[in-house]
């Protein structure tokens, strides 16, 4: 179990710090915590006080905070309170893990290049809500998930990693969502491992992944394993 939000076994002093934003269940946050990455999780913050993920975070010794968006009269006021709460933890990276509030341009600008998100589709297709339902309605044969840096456009930005899953003839929204979520739980910790190892390079609108030490997995291997 992590102590003091510290999530890795070996490194301590040089570990980068992340803050995770959630809105609900928090299964991606859980996958990140359980991956025991060489990162310090400074806090988990939810815009919903009843988010199940907050209970998990507290049970695992993490700082867990709620900033209820319903208590603010405007999006800008909420964004400002959220940004202030995040800044107190001085994160190197802000990790959106099922955070379901649209963030304003000022907030996104403040964390530009330091904010990452996971989305349940192969972006740039199916940004927004109900991605699995829309994938089934369109009859696509391949669906998946994307980890990307956040820009002011909704569910859009330089792509770090994607994982694809087949859409099977008998799939419904639930079975497809389950298959995609399984991949989300693999690719988000991997993307954050690359970040922890200083291997992510934002190059214009694209992300380059610097080679790791011998034996580390690269994205091509991961995608093949996912198919
Ligand atoms: C995940 O499927 C994530 O990709 C999605 O919400 C779910 C959260 O689940 N995020 C978005 O749709 C963002 N546009 P979780 O709370 O169990 O991690």
């Amino acid at each position: 179990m992590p102590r003091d939000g510290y999530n890795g076994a070996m490194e301590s002093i040089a570990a980068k710090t992340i803050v995770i934003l959630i809105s609900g269940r928090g299964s991606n946050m859980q996958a990140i915590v359980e991956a025991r990455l060489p990162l310090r999780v400074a806090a988990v913050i939810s815009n919903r006080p009843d988010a199940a993920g907050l209970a998990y975070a507290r049970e695992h010794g993490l700082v867990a905070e709620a900033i209820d968006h319903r208590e603010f009269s405007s999006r800008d006021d909420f964004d400002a309170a959220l940004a202030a709460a995040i800044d107190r933890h001085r994160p190197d990276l802000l990790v959106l893990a099922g955070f379901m509030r649209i963030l304003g341009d000022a907030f996104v600008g403040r964390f530009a290049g330091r904010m990452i998100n996971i989305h349940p589709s192969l972006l740039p297709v199916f940004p927004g809500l109900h991605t699995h339902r829309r994938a089934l309605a369109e009859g696509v044969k391949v669906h998946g998930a994307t980890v990307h840096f956040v820009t002011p456009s909704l569910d859009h930005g330089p792509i770090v990693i994607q994982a694809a899953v087949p859409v099977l003839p008998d799939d419904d929204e639930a079975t497809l969502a389950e298959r995609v979520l399984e991949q989300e739980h693999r690719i988000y910790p991997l993307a954050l491992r690359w970040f922890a190892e200083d291997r992510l390079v934002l190059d214009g609108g694209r992300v380059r992944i610097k080679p790791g030490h011998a034996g580390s997995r690269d994205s091509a291997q991961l995608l093949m394993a996912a198919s």
Side-chain angles (χ1 to χ4, degrees):
M1 184 180 292
R3 273 181 299 115
D4 302 330
Y6 182 61
N7 204 22
M10 309 286 282
E11 300 88 332
S12 58
I13 292 163
K16 292 177 192 286
T17 293
I18 62 172
V19 165
I20 305 177
L21 300 189
I22 63 169
S23 292
R25 174 179 62 178
S27 71
N28 275 290
M29 172 209 59
Q30 195 171 328
I32 291 163
V33 169
E34 287 175 2
R36 301 187 63 76
L37 301 168
L39 285 169
R40 196 174 74 85
V41 181
V44 175
I45 302 177
S46 171
N47 63 306
R48 292 188 173 277
D50 59 349
L54 284 179
Y56 172 91
R58 286 192 191 105
E59 279 161 22
H60 288 74
L62 300 170
V63 172
E65 299 170 8
I67 299 175
D68 191 339
H69 65 274
R70 292 165 301 191
E71 289 175 4
F72 296 85
S73 53
S74 75
R75 186 180 301 282
D76 285 351
D77 287 353
F78 169 71
D79 282 5
L82 181 62
I86 292 163
D87 282 348
R88 280 197 281 279
H89 298 289
R90 300 172 166 274
D92 297 295
L93 189 72
L94 190 51
V95 175
L96 309 191
F99 184 71
M100 302 307 279
R101 293 290 297 171
I102 291 176
L103 296 162
D105 288 359
F107 184 99
V108 174
R110 180 181 186 133
F111 294 100
R114 297 193 292 137
M115 180 162 43
I116 199 168
N117 180 44
I118 190 157
H119 182 74
S121 78
L122 292 173
L123 292 173
V125 291
F126 308 132
L129 299 174
H130 309 304
T131 56
H132 311 306
R133 190 185 308 169
R134 288 155 63 204
L136 289 169
E138 292 290 346
V140 298
K141 304 301 182 199
V142 178
H143 186 42
T146 303
V147 176
H148 65 98
F149 281 93
V150 175
T151 64
S153 323
L154 178 69
D155 297 325
H156 184 271
I159 291 171
V160 178
I161 186 170
Q162 296 182 299
V165 302
V167 180
L168 303 178
D170 294 341
D171 268 335
D172 57 25
E173 220 175 316
T175 58
L176 186 55
E178 190 182 338
R179 197 174 310 113
V180 171
L181 192 64
E182 202 177 310
Q183 296 308 318
E184 293 185 39
H185 296 166
R186 299 176 65 208
I187 63 175
Y188 217 177
L190 181 57
L192 293 175
R193 180 173 295 283
W194 290 335
F195 172 76
E197 294 172 351
D198 246 335
R199 292 173 58 194
L200 297 184
V201 182
L202 260 172
D203 197 352
R206 297 168 67 164
V207 179
R208 195 160 51 79
I209 298 149
K210 289 195 273 186
H213 55 81
S216 61
R217 291 178 300 168
D218 67 21
S219 55
Q221 283 171 309
L222 187 93
L223 280 174
M224 284 169 66
S227 62

